[in-house]
């Protein structure tokens, strides 16, 4: 397990408020922490399947003495109070689709070089798979790992979607749900470096998403039966789910 890292003051307050509540309303199934690097910075790459899963992943991070630090969509930083809290908690804004997009990767890269741990949702958005399987990934997580030489650790979540299904507003806290988090072995990036070609980065990202999918399959006890949705188009191929 990673060495203990101090939480920023604002996060200590948030944890003091939320963690006792989570302990009461959620059961925890945390597994695979033996795969976490013991020293240095690294990248955690997780699937995204609910509006609440950042809180679940944050809970898992705190339980493992890791200060939650995410790449967060930049509009949230413009919301009064919330934006100030995000800045104080040292979250990193993501300026997707703008000229400032590279700043996000640069900030995350620098944080990892300094020994920090960054949590990234490589899909870049919540899954739109009808069965909540991971979609394809964007290449940011791999690029940060290659630029820093840091481990790239896959993480799968399952359970938050039972409270809030992706893109739905229904909130079902009861009956009490189990939140599952599985950590896998770091992705093999040997032979690759900052000068990796676009094709090599794409293939490494595919391996990352395969690993996350495999971890989620272990939790669920089943395998996906349809092709992975391409996050770049968000157009799913025809599958048996469309026949339901």
């Amino acid at each position: 397990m990673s060495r203990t890292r101090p939480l920023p003051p604002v996060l200590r307050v948030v944890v003091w408020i939320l963690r006792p509540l989570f302990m009461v309303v959620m059961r925890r199934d945390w597994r695979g922490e033996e795969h976490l690097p013991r020293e240095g910075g690294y990248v955690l790459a997780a699937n995204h399947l609910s509006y609440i899963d950042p809180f679940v992943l944050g809970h898992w991070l705190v339980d493992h003495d890791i200060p939650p630090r995410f790449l967060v969509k930049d509009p949230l930083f413009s919301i009064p109070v919330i934006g100030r809290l995000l800045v104080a908690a040292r979250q990193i804004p993501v300026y997707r689709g703008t000229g400032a997009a590279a700043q996000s990767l640069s900030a995350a890269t620098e944080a990892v070089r300094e020994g920090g741990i960054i949590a990234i949702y490589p899909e870049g958005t919540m899954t739109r798979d009808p069965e909540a399987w991971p979609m394809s990934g964007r290449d940011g997580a791999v690029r940060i790992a290659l630029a820093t030489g840091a481990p790239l650790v896959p993480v799968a979540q399952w359970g938050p979607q039972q409270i809030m299904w992706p893109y739905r507003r229904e909130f079902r806290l009861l009956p009490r749900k189990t939140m599952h988090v599985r950590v896998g072995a770091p992705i093999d990036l040997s032979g690759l470096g900052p000068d990796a070609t676009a094709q090599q980065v794409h293939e490494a990202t595919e391996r990352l998403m395969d690993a996350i999918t495999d971890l989620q399959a272990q939790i669920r006890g089943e395998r996906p039966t349809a092709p992975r949705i391409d996050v770049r188009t968000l157009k799913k191929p025809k599958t048996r789910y469309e026949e339901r």
Side-chain angles (χ1 to χ4, degrees):
M1 190 182 297
S2 306
R3 66 181 183 275
T4 300
R5 293 169 165 85
L7 290 172
V10 68
L11 279 180
R12 288 202 295 270
V13 174
V14 171
V15 169
W16 181 78
I17 294 171
L18 292 182
R19 192 172 186 276
L21 174 64
F22 289 170
M23 295 291 286
V24 170
V25 301
M26 299 176 185
R27 290 187 292 264
R28 298 170 299 163
D29 175 29
W30 305 155
R31 303 190 191 186
E33 60 271 12
E34 67 273 11
H35 295 299
L36 295 175
R38 293 181 177 274
E39 298 292 336
Y42 53 92
V43 180
L44 288 166
N47 62 310
H48 194 3
L49 45 67
S50 173
Y51 287 116
I52 71 160
D53 71 49
F55 294 99
V56 173
L57 187 57
H59 187 184
W60 175 85
L61 288 166
V62 169
D63 276 1
H64 292 85
D65 297 318
I66 301 172
R69 195 172 187 189
F70 293 86
L71 269 67
V72 180
K73 292 181 179 179
D74 68 287
L76 292 176
F77 286 80
S78 301
I79 301 174
V81 181
I82 291 178
R84 294 180 66 180
L85 287 174
L86 290 172
V87 171
R90 302 182 66 206
Q91 307 306 299
I92 299 174
V94 177
Y95 303 99
R96 189 184 305 159
T98 72
Q103 294 179 12
S104 305
L105 287 184
S106 295
T109 298
E110 186 60 29
V112 174
R113 283 197 179 118
E114 293 174 353
I117 300 168
I118 299 296
I120 295 179
Y121 291 117
E123 295 160 280
T125 189
M126 284 187 296
T127 182
R128 297 191 186 181
D129 184 274
E131 296 293 313
W133 290 103
M135 301 187 292
S136 68
R138 302 179 187 275
D139 62 13
V142 169
R143 290 192 180 279
I144 294 169
L146 292 178
T148 59
L152 174 60
V153 182
V155 177
Q157 303 185 85
W158 189 246
Q161 82 292 338
Q162 293 180 326
I163 297 175
M164 290 191 75
W165 190 261
Y167 300 101
R168 295 182 186 173
R169 299 293 182 179
E170 295 91 346
F171 191 81
R172 299 177 179 176
L173 198 57
L174 298 175
R176 193 180 184 206
K177 312 294 192 302
T178 299
M179 302 295 108
H180 305 269
V181 175
R182 290 288 191 285
V183 184
I187 304 301
D188 183 8
L189 299 177
S190 57
L192 301 179
D195 58 349
T197 67
Q199 181 61 30
Q200 289 173 323
V201 172
H202 173 74
E203 291 172 354
T205 301
E206 284 295 299
R207 294 201 302 276
L208 170 64
M209 300 314 298
D210 286 344
I212 294 173
T213 301
D214 288 344
L215 290 167
Q216 194 189 94
Q218 292 174 24
I219 300 170
R220 298 172 62 168
E222 60 181 338
R223 299 288 310 176
T225 58
R228 188 175 290 152
I229 294 174
D230 187 346
V231 73
R232 285 164 286 276
T233 63
L234 289 179
K235 292 180 180 178
K236 65 179 184 295
K238 290 183 179 180
T239 72
R240 67 182 181 88
Y241 303 121
E242 295 178 344
E243 300 171 0
R244 292 180 177 178

